[in-house]
Amino acid sequence: MAFDRRTFLKTLAAATASLALQGARTRGEEPAGADRLGPLLPQRLLGSTGAWVTMLGVGGWHLGEISERDAQKTIEAALEGGIRFFDTAEMYQAGLSENRYGKWLVPKYRDLVFLMTKS
């Protein structure tokens, strides 16, 4: 059976969530919650920032190498799978990754996601 990107991300998110729920509290994790989009993956404290992020995130390098439509589908599949942590950098395809995250996350989902960028 062939997986498309959306099916793969949903399957990965579900598998990660089920494994992570076992003893999450003992490892300094928050149990999975939910927001207006649906169930979340369990969350972990991000270093010493005090911010809680989903334990699985989506990097942005590849978003500048795929089509605009595929980038949107990837972001939406991650959101549907309970991911709320996204990472990018200005150097990824000369800022194209940041632009795509801005275009697809900020207008509708900025209040729900943790968007990290580096320089």
Side-chain angles (χ1 to χ4, degrees), residues 55-78:
M55 63 183 295
L56 180 64
V58 176
W61 177 264
H62 65 288
L63 290 182
E65 295 183 331
I66 59 179
S67 72
E68 179 85 16
R69 183 170 181 241
D70 285 343
Q72 178 185 4
K73 285 181 172 183
T74 300
I75 293 167
E76 289 175 353

Side-chain angles (χ1 to χ4, degrees), residues 5 15 17 24 30 53 60 80 116 119:
R5 181 175 283 122
E30 287 289 312
V53 299
E80 288 174 19
M116 179 173 75
S119 59

Side-chain angles (χ1 to χ4, degrees), residues 6 9-17 37-42 54 56 74-84:
R6 182 177 302 262
L9 285 172
K10 283 183 180 180
T11 304
L12 182 61
T16 302
L37 299 179
L40 299 176
L41 291 179
T54 53
L56 180 64
T74 300
I75 293 167
E76 289 175 353
L79 290 167
E80 288 174 19
I83 296 171
R84 301 294 184 271

